[in-house]
Amino acid sequence: MRKGLIILSCVLVVSSFCLAVKPVKIIQQTEADFATGKLDKTAVTNLGEIRLSREIKELTKSPPNVEMFSAVAINKAGEIYLSATGGKIYRFEGDKLVEFAQVPGVLVRTMIFDGRDLYVGSCGKSAGIYRITPRGKVIKIWSDPKVKFVWSIVRGKGKTFYAGTGPEGRVYHVKANGKAEVVYQCDEKNILSMIAGKDGKLYAGTGEHGYIIEINPKTKKGRILYDAKESEISALLLGADGVLYAATSDSTKVSAGKRVRASEVKGKALPKPAAKPPAGPKEQNKKVKKLIVVVEQDAKVVSQLAENEGKVAGSQKKPHKMEDGLPIDIIRRIAAARKAAEAKPPQPTETPKGEGNAIYRIDEEGFVRTIFRKPVAIFTMVMQDDTLIVGTGHKGEIFEVDTSGDKICQIAKVDPKDITAITLGKNGKLYFATADSARLFELGRSFAKKGTYTSKVFDAKQISRWGSIKIHADIPRDCALTVSTRSGNVSEPDDRSWSDWSVETIVPPGWLKITSPAGRFFQYRLTLAGNGKATATVDRVEIIRQMGNLPPAVPSVKVGSSARAPNSSSPPRSTDPKRYRVIKVKCTDPNEDSLWYAFYYRRKGNKLWIKLADKKKRPVYYWDTLGVADGIYEVRVVVSDAPSNPPAEALTAERIS
């Protein structure tokens, strides 16, 4: 027999579509599973539980031309004070903000009350510590020409304070008469965070290499407790048991849940000192514009902002009218630059690197353990009932973190993307301020009365019948849990192209039939309700769908030759003819069904196919051609998914070699 000839003709037979009965189960039960959904007054814990979040109340929106509140403080009378860009201090009165004082500088990062007076640390020109009386009078306590940024202040004995500063990485002891001495000098440029410890010691966090330092002001010496892999130690807390908690805000380890622009990643990174002087006032104005747009709790960003402010102002022959701590002509150029930036084409994107920012737990013996790590920037944290309340950036999330790290829960999420400051108020309430959109919120101790969780869009890859859903939940008395579903055939769900949400149905103890029509895509929505004291808790969701059966695909059939059969163990002799034709089939099935293979042949020009084998489980067949006359032949392969489907619903595909 002559060698087989590959014929380029191809026949593909596809049966009409019908729904198969093979079910597919989808299970969601982990934090990662549920984190892909949309939360509205609901929260997901690290244990994979959905529950109502804490009750949130928006108290006020930002005043005109204010993009960020950077610090918040409450006095004994319960009055709330906020600092904003430009050195302005606002007081919350009733239901509105009233401008209370103006402090020199471009940013107030830290505010504390000592008696009736408010003490603030400012950054920028004339950086220092200022006292503000109840009537809003600003009195300078201390400043130093070498200090450009006062990032943190803590109380000392009497009317003294310790100030963590930049850009020379010094800690000052400031006395009541305004005199100050350096009690610690480190190799870092900025002391971003600081807290008073036991026995008069201080703990400080730096902003270049992420050092956590224990300082003895009496001996003016310090030692590094931990060298974090993140670049910034943004917040410090000390527990009653002497355990130190340190949070990081390295911008290179932040992910907004999607690919971000490379320009944004670089813009929020800490800028390096300029290698040579800028070209002139115009270039300086551009840099000031960029830094104001992205200004946040970032030492070096504000550092560059203040430096540029001084150079721009110094380059002008005549004094300029000022607004928010900057010349009005710069403000106008900022607005024009923003308008031009909006018209620019999208920049290249890159995925932020890193595993996220962390909270480190350092015990009294110096042992360090990570109790929190997520791809967010941590700007602020407070302790409430032996639990850490953590404010983060880029997603507007607040987390509740057990000090052991065993339980982590997102207790709130707001539209402004950066939670810049949190403070404790009366009756266990928390107050937090935001950037991106400068607002003030109240976070209560009770649960929200109602909230929803909307799942991600599930893609069946083909039209499917969504059969039933089962919600595993604990529903206390006076709480309720309902479920609704919808389906569609486009990936982006909307009211015009998808089915309507089904009627809200009380979640039963077992399976619930899904009434949404067949479709490729599917979503479910959970609605949780309660009395504020308790919440339903969902820990597992199961969905069963029935896939539509699709035929196998046969991309190719190849025919080769061999001198021996597949089961022969003895090597062939050189005189043996290649009597076997090896038929190899490349085949896939979209339903991952088990398949049968049937093999046929015919002499070229004939119409009748002769069966070689049927219902073979392997896509390879050895054809013994010893009894076949010489000539040119074609091979036909028919593939069937009958092993996985009822006879009436089985589909086939075929190809000719």
Side-chain angles (χ1 to χ4, degrees):
M1 176 183 174
R2 299 175 184 174
K3 294 183 180 180
L5 177 66
I6 303 300
I7 308 299
L8 297 180
S9 61
C10 171
V11 178
L12 181 63
V13 178
V14 181
S15 300
S16 61
F17 174 81
C18 62
L19 289 173
V21 296
K22 181 180 178 180
V24 175
K25 181 181 284 188
I26 300 169
I27 298 176
Q28 288 193 298
Q29 59 182 357
T30 68
E31 179 188 17
D33 293 337
F34 292 128
T36 57
K38 181 181 179 181
L39 301 163
D40 182 10
K41 297 182 181 179
T42 52
V44 176
T45 73
N46 65 322
L47 302 178
E49 300 170 337
I50 302 173
R51 69 179 198 182
L52 286 167
S53 65
R54 300 262 285 264
E55 188 175 19
I56 302 175
K57 180 181 179 182
E58 183 175 343
L59 299 180
T60 181
K61 297 186 183 297
S62 64
N65 303 318
V66 174
E67 294 185 357
M68 177 180 72
F69 291 135
S70 54
V72 59
I74 300 179
N75 62 15
K76 292 182 179 180
E79 295 176 320
I80 303 171
Y81 294 79
L82 299 120
S83 64
T85 45
K88 290 184 178 181
I89 309 296
Y90 292 87
R91 181 168 60 197
F92 181 64
E93 297 181 0
D95 58 352
K96 62 180 180 179
L97 287 173
V98 176
E99 188 171 338
F100 175 65
Q102 175 73 57
V103 178
V106 295
L107 181 72
V108 170
R109 167 80 182 273
T110 178
M111 302 194 302
I112 58 174
F113 274 97
D114 188 8
R116 299 174 64 236
D117 293 335
L118 177 63
Y119 289 81
V120 305
S122 70
C123 301
K125 190 176 181 180
S126 301
I129 298 177
Y130 294 84
R131 177 168 66 92
I132 306 176
T133 68
R135 293 183 176 273
K137 183 179 179 181
V138 178
I139 302 169
K140 184 174 75 172
I141 301 298
W142 163 82
S143 66
D144 189 309
K146 295 181 179 180
V147 174
K148 300 298 182 185
F149 327 104
V150 177
W151 298 115
S152 54
I153 56 176
V154 298
R155 293 188 186 91
K157 291 183 178 180
K159 290 288 184 179
T160 67
F161 293 90
Y162 291 100
T165 69
E168 296 183 356
R170 292 177 175 177
V171 176
Y172 288 83
H173 184 208
V174 181
K175 298 179 181 178
N177 59 6
K179 294 183 179 180
E181 63 173 336
V182 177
V183 295
Y184 184 72
Q185 169 84 58
C186 71
D187 294 333
E188 299 284 89
K189 293 183 178 180
N190 291 285
I191 304 291
L192 288 185
S193 54
M194 194 164 60
I195 192 170
K198 296 180 179 179
D199 304 323
K201 293 181 179 179
L202 299 171
Y203 295 99
T206 70
E208 280 69 46
H209 294 91
Y211 294 151
I212 302 168
I213 307 171
E214 181 186 73
I215 300 170
N216 188 332
K218 293 181 181 179
T219 61
K220 299 183 180 181
K221 293 182 179 180
R223 66 186 183 98
I224 295 176
L225 296 179
Y226 190 64
D227 178 5
K229 63 180 180 180
E230 297 80 21
S231 63
E232 294 185 358
I233 307 299
S234 54
L236 294 169
L237 277 179
L238 193 64
D241 55 359
V243 174
L244 180 67
Y245 301 91
T248 71
S249 61
D250 189 331
S251 62
T252 65
K253 300 183 182 300
V254 171
S255 170
K258 59 182 179 181
R259 296 175 66 86
V260 300
R261 298 182 189 281
S263 60
E264 292 174 349
V265 175
K266 294 176 182 178
K268 292 184 180 180
L270 304 180
K272 297 180 180 179
K276 57 184 179 179
K282 184 176 181 180
E283 292 301 316
Q284 290 293 342
N285 290 337
K286 290 181 179 179
K287 291 183 179 181
V288 172
K289 177 270 299 183
K290 291 181 181 178
L291 292 167
I292 288 181
V293 170
V294 301
V295 66
E296 57 183 24
Q297 305 303 88
D298 187 319
K300 294 181 181 176
V301 170
V302 182
S303 169
Q304 191 69 50
L305 172 61
E307 180 182 346
N308 290 339
E309 175 198 1
K311 290 180 180 178
V312 173
S315 67
Q316 308 296 330
K317 294 182 179 180
K318 296 182 180 180
H320 283 66
K321 294 182 180 180
M322 304 295 287
E323 181 178 324
D324 287 340
L326 290 173
I328 288 179
D329 69 323
I330 294 180
I331 297 293
R332 290 172 180 168
R333 293 189 186 190
I334 289 172
R338 283 180 180 168
K339 185 175 181 180
E342 291 175 356
K344 291 183 178 180
Q347 299 295 315
T349 61
E350 65 181 17
T351 303
K353 298 178 180 179
E355 300 173 353
N357 282 292
I359 297 176
Y360 296 105
R361 181 186 187 275
I362 307 174
D363 65 24
E364 290 188 289
E365 295 183 4
F367 292 103
V368 181
R369 183 161 61 90
T370 304
I371 62 171
F372 175 94
R373 186 176 293 281
K374 287 186 180 293
V376 295
I378 305 170
F379 292 148
T380 179
M381 62 179 179
V382 297
M383 183 82 76
Q384 184 181 43
D385 300 333
D386 295 325
T387 300
L388 301 178
I389 308 298
V390 182
T392 68
H394 300 284
K395 289 185 180 181
E397 298 170 309
I398 297 179
F399 294 92
E400 185 179 77
V401 181
D402 184 83
T403 52
S404 65
D406 293 336
K407 189 169 184 179
I408 300 169
C409 180
Q410 181 207 92
I411 60 174
K413 185 174 183 178
V414 293
D415 184 56
K417 303 304 181 184
D418 297 313
I419 311 295
T420 54
I422 300 177
T423 191
L424 290 168
K426 292 184 176 181
N427 302 320
K429 292 182 178 180
L430 294 165
Y431 296 90
F432 64 92
T434 66
D436 181 52
S437 174
R439 303 185 196 180
L440 174 65
F441 294 86
E442 177 186 277
L443 183 64
R445 295 185 71 95
S446 59
F447 292 107
K449 298 294 179 63
K450 187 177 181 180
T452 60
Y453 171 81
T454 305
S455 75
K456 71 173 186 178
V457 173
F458 296 96
D459 183 2
K461 305 298 183 182
Q462 62 185 62
I463 304 294
S464 294
R465 180 182 295 136
W466 301 91
S468 54
I469 186 169
K470 187 176 183 180
I471 314 294
H472 299 255
D474 176 28
I475 309 174
R477 181 180 294 181
D478 297 331
C479 294
L481 177 64
T482 61
V483 62
S484 181
T485 65
R486 66 176 177 178
S487 59
N489 290 307
V490 293
S491 59
E492 292 294 330
D494 59 58
D495 296 336
R496 292 177 297 176
S497 58
W498 277 49
S499 68
D500 293 334
W501 284 106
S502 64
V503 176
E504 293 284 348
T505 305
I506 296 175
V507 171
W511 289 94
L512 176 68
K513 183 179 179 180
I514 295 173
T515 59
S516 299
R520 173 176 170 174
F521 301 98
F522 175 80
Q523 266 187 317
Y524 69 86
R525 182 180 66 197
L526 301 174
T527 301
L528 295 78
N531 57 8
K533 298 179 181 179
T535 175
T537 303
V538 176
D539 57 20
R540 183 182 171 95
V541 176
E542 299 177 62
I543 303 165
I544 291 180
R545 61 179 169 87
Q546 293 178 316
M547 296 180 63
N549 191 28
L550 293 178
V554 189
S556 69
V557 173
K558 295 183 178 180
V559 181
S561 59
S562 175
R564 62 177 179 176
N567 297 325
S568 175
S569 59
S570 58
R573 297 186 301 271
S574 59
T575 57
D576 287 349
K578 294 184 178 181
R579 56 187 277 187
Y580 294 97
R581 290 294 177 263
V582 185
I583 306 169
K584 295 183 178 180
V585 184
K586 185 176 181 181
C587 182
T588 59
D589 187 85
N591 304 100
E592 298 182 358
D593 289 336
S594 298
L595 301 173
W596 279 340
Y597 300 86
F599 299 88
Y600 302 84
Y601 79 96
R602 71 180 178 187
R603 190 164 189 149
K604 187 177 180 182
N606 292 348
K607 294 183 178 181
L608 180 65
W609 289 98
I610 301 172
K611 183 184 294 186
L612 289 170
D614 193 11
K615 296 186 178 180
K616 293 295 183 180
K617 296 182 179 180
R618 297 180 66 243
V620 178
Y621 182 74
Y622 282 74
W623 174 22
D624 187 352
T625 64
L626 185 61
V628 180
D630 289 347
I632 299 175
Y633 290 82
E634 294 173 314
V635 172
R636 171 171 164 246
V637 179
V638 179
V639 184
S640 171
D641 62 8
S644 297
N645 292 277
E649 297 181 354
L651 299 176
T652 62
E654 65 178 58
R655 184 173 287 275
I656 299 174
S657 70

